[in-house]
């Protein structure tokens, strides 16, 4: 991933502990779309999923965790691949934040690179359950306060555990950050540390 400003994107700013950054173009959430992740915690404040409110929650949570993020406003994209092209990065560098539902009604976030998908047997074994599923967009909104296409653990209205696929480690990634039309860039290792995420092998090729 590059820090150069991509064509079709406008940098809004970058901060350390009080950074300003957003991301959001697919059914799963990443720098181009929506994203969702169980043993770490992601905290968020109250608020709606609408526009600036979601982005402000994202930024406030990143700032509270001392997490440095860089935000760009980008053109709308119809797929993760298209968003990666707009941002000038590889699909693998967009990390999807996937909301996963337990059969008991609780949730977790799974952070998965754009060129891979959840391995359900691996994730179930790691969490220690025999059933997990992807909820509807409406259920994900109620669980996180974010619309699909903008979901991120940062700023979620509930503190669900976070699992991150080990293939994202050691890289700078793009992810969703609470509002459509924005993408956040962040160091993956700093992100997983700030979220207290469990980093493990939970994916397989698309």
């Amino acid at each position: 991933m590059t820090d150069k400003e991509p064509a079709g994107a406008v940098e809004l700013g970058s901060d350390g502990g009080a950074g300003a950054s957003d991301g959001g173009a697919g059914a799963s959430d990443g720098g181009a779309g929506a994203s969702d992740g169980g043993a770490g915690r992601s905290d968020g404040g109250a608020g709606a999923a609408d526009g600036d409110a979601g982005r402000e929650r994202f930024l406030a949570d990143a700032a509270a965790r001392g997490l440095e993020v860089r935000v760009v406003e980008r053109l709308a994209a119809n797929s993760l691949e298209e968003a990666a092209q707009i941002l000038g990065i590889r699909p693998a560098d967009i990390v999807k934040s996937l909301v996963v539902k337990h059969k008991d009604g609780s949730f977790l976030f799974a952070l998965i690179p754009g060129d891979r998908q959840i391995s359900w047997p691996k994730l179930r074994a790691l969490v220690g359950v025999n059933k997990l599923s992807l909820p509807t967009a409406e259920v994900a909104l109620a669980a996180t306060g974010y619309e699909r296409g903008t979901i991120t653990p940062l700023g979620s209205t509930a503190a669900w555990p976070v699992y991150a696929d080990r293939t994202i480690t050691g890289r700078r990634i793009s992810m969703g950050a609470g509002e459509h039309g924005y993408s956040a860039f962040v160091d993956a290792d700093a992100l997983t540390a700030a979220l207290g995420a469990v980093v493990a092998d939970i994916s397989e090729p698309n």
Side-chain angles (χ1 to χ4, degrees), residues 51-135:
D52 289 349
R55 180 156 49 104
E56 289 169 2
R57 293 203 322 272
F58 171 85
L59 294 174
D61 196 7
R65 297 172 188 272
L67 184 63
E68 183 176 352
V69 293
R70 171 178 170 252
V71 176
V72 297
E73 184 175 9
R74 57 165 179 77
L75 298 174
N78 295 314
S79 67
L80 185 145
E81 290 75 18
E82 183 179 349
Q85 185 174 19
I86 291 170
L87 292 169
I89 60 178
R90 302 174 303 157
D93 290 324
I94 292 178
V95 170
K96 304 173 287 187
S97 300
L98 303 175
V99 177
V100 177
K101 184 178 181 180
H102 286 266
K103 63 181 180 181
D104 67 3
S106 64
F107 298 87
L108 62 85
F109 288 101
L111 305 185
I112 307 293
D115 62 341
R116 299 180 69 83
Q117 61 187 348
I118 291 175
S119 169
W120 293 105
K122 292 176 183 177
L123 186 58
R124 288 195 301 266
L126 186 61
V127 178
V129 297
N130 58 19
K131 185 176 181 180
L132 294 168
S133 62
L134 292 177

